[in-house]
Amino acid sequence: MAELKVFSACPHDCPDTCAMITTVRDGKAVEVRGNPEHPFTRGGLCVKVNDYQNRVYSPDRVLHPLKRSGRKGSGEFRRITWDEALDEIKTRWTAIIDRHGPTAILPYSYLGTEGLLNGLNAGDAFFNRLGATVSERTFCDSAAISAFFMSCGPTAAVDPESFVHSRYIVLWAINTISTNLHHWPFIAEAQRRGAKVVVVDPVASRTAKQADWHIRIRPGTDAALALGMINVIIAEGLVDHDYVEKYTVGFEELKERAALFPPNLVVGLTGVAADDVRRLAREFATTQPSVIRMGVAIERSAGGGNTVRALSCLPALVGAWRHCGGGILHMPIWAFPVKWDDISRPDWIKPGTPVVNQWRLGPALTGELPLATPIQSLFVFNSNPMVVASEQGKIERGLAREDLFTVVSEQFLTDTALYADIVLPATTQLEQFDVMFSWGHLYLTLNEPAIAPLGEAVPNTELFRRLARTMGLNDPYWQRSDEEMVLAALDWTNPALAGIDLAELRKSGYARLKVGSPDTYVPHREGNFPTPSGKCEFKSSIAAGGNLVLPLFRQGYIAGQSGEALDPLPTYVPPNESPATNPALARRFPLNMLSPKSHAFLNSSYANLPTQRHHAGGQKVVINPGDAAPRGIVAGDRVRVFNDRGAFEATAELSADAMTGVVVAPLGYWPRDAKERRSVNAITPPAFADYGHAPTFSDVLVEVAKVV
């Protein structure tokens, strides 16, 4: 039998962006493994994708265009041709545009597939040229990015591989072993060399159990702890004044702000003992190189942006940026010279085009949002909003509208696809070409198509070529091949890509950006922050511009921002829903609920596949025994988790891993598998965080009761 080894790349919204090798025999992919030569992947894949070929060949794949033949949500479809599907789309969209205008059409996509070609921005140019409403996509890291830019600018900051040189590592709001697995060996190596690993998390996660010190903190109070650390560092003379004077601005103002957060106050806000606040501050300041790794969960409460602002001040305050392995790691993506505007074409957006945030899809479809033009058509790809967005009940009611024309491009009949009028078949990563940036390391990774597309499935690039032709959009943008699109998507003249081209990528499947080695990468030893001042800004000079969402998350669109006033200094914004801030609500719903990523799913991806479902088990809620006992709940009981917004059922797991007053319900399970056809996001709030319109997944009060 003919056997090939093909370079592939994991397509998912994960910082690891693993380099893979696919074995193909006689045209069929038989094995997918991590590339052993890749310095970050090191040959291993996580439980989510280590049988990726089974996803590709799942009998449940959507392989042909489908048209609804029953009521919405019934899952009743009949097979049609691509020509029939495109004709239906053209007919319906033309009628909608003629009657309501193009802004009655709303695109909806996220990072179910990542990559320069088929990822977040794959449809931006098409919908911008069509004139559709702009989709604001702030599910993950929007607040953190806005806040980080205000302090440090768009910098890669720290090489994740440089953590082997760190002496003090703080993993803040991240369960590395479950959600950033390939970074863990570098942390573990530093630990073997004598580094201290600290985890700040309300939950005793897999990662927390491997740490030298686990600091439990009340959900949503992290900024108070960070400001308390700043207070101690300044009060006890632990500041690197030379670094602060040369390479920062706003120290005196930060000092005044931090004086409001002495440890004895912080303990009441966070639940972290005053002595632990002092100890953490002292150790972080005096054990160099010290480094913070922030997780995406850091922003998921009312004050998430200010938390990132406060954390971003700490390394400069103590001079950690001087050292290899010192500083704060957020997203190395900013080292990649991606030409985002060339991908998204924001120049095609008409002035005054409305914007709808994806977190508010439910009220956008039910008519509760004050839109000048109601949404008459929804086009979904790379996302499953019935699982990942808030107000699940409203989304379902909106999708059930008979007058809403919904098109979903998918690999499977997800809960969202069940409500589609037209379902289009999407390729998996093994069937398409792409080049992957990473938001967790500094390697560009090639993905070659290992097999021909199954059935009539097409990648997003081809999908939007077909839609453009169908709608009469004849710009040369849609006349390019995939390779031509990649060549246009990156600035190949940038020094970071020196000596790298497609031919070079095809030799090994990946290439490290030319930014220095993990043993020498210290970009801010002498300041050089990409901020307006060129310094780390304790007091932000761009705060005066108001609250902004990065154009990357809104199809390149800069206008139409909400622009709420922002404090130029980090502060503490308490949770919206907690016993301390909303005691009346807490009397009815006394438990904080966290909904972290599942160890075996990637958001809602893989929640339908046997291997990952076996590893994950059914929907559970982890509850502290001290909270379970007065509710008469024992391990294994079916329980109802609820608040005024909705409810879902789960199996109770009793464990001290959840601190008292906190319950943990992993995200990603499909509602169709539940008795009430509801999952975690049936009860999460629609509120935004303080920066960047980030969702407040973790800022939610609930009650848990035994199902009788």
Side-chain angles (χ1 to χ4, degrees), residues 534-690:
K535 300 180 179 184
C536 179
E537 298 193 355
F538 299 149
K539 182 179 180 181
S540 172
S541 61
I542 64 174
N547 192 11
L548 298 176
V549 174
L550 196 70
L552 172 64
F553 294 137
R554 40 195 345 256
Q555 300 175 206
Y557 196 36
I558 296 174
Q561 301 268 7
S562 58
E564 301 93 347
L566 296 176
D567 192 326
L569 294 165
T571 190
Y572 172 58
V573 176
N576 293 323
E577 297 188 15
S578 75
T581 59
N582 198 333
L585 186 66
R587 281 192 288 273
R588 299 170 56 220
F589 307 112
L591 302 171
N592 283 111
M593 186 188 77
L594 302 179
S595 52
K597 311 282 181 148
S598 167
H599 185 73
F601 306 155
L602 203 298
N603 298 319
S604 72
S605 294
Y606 300 94
N608 63 316
L609 296 178
T611 298
Q612 288 74 20
R613 285 167 65 96
H614 172 75
H615 281 281
Q619 176 73 68
K620 66 180 180 181
V621 59
V622 183
I623 183 169
N624 189 282
D627 292 321
R631 292 169 171 82
I633 296 170
V634 299
D637 278 349
R638 290 297 292 173
V639 296
R640 185 169 181 263
V641 186
F642 62 97
N643 58 22
D644 285 336
R645 287 180 287 269
F648 67 95
E649 289 190 10
T651 300
E653 179 180 306
L654 274 58
S655 174
D657 289 353
M659 62 191 294
T660 303
V662 175
V663 295
V664 182
L667 171 75
Y669 292 88
W670 290 15
R672 72 174 66 172
D673 297 326
K675 180 181 176 182
E676 298 179 342
R677 293 178 65 92
R678 292 288 182 267
S679 57
V680 167
N681 277 327
I683 63 177
T684 48
F688 293 130
D690 50 353

Side-chain angles (χ1 to χ4, degrees), residues 82 118 458-467 469 482:
W82 262 101
N118 295 294
V458 299
N460 287 331
T461 49
E462 177 60 18
L463 168 65
F464 288 107
R465 288 188 194 105
R466 294 183 183 188
L467 287 171
R469 288 195 298 269
D482 286 357

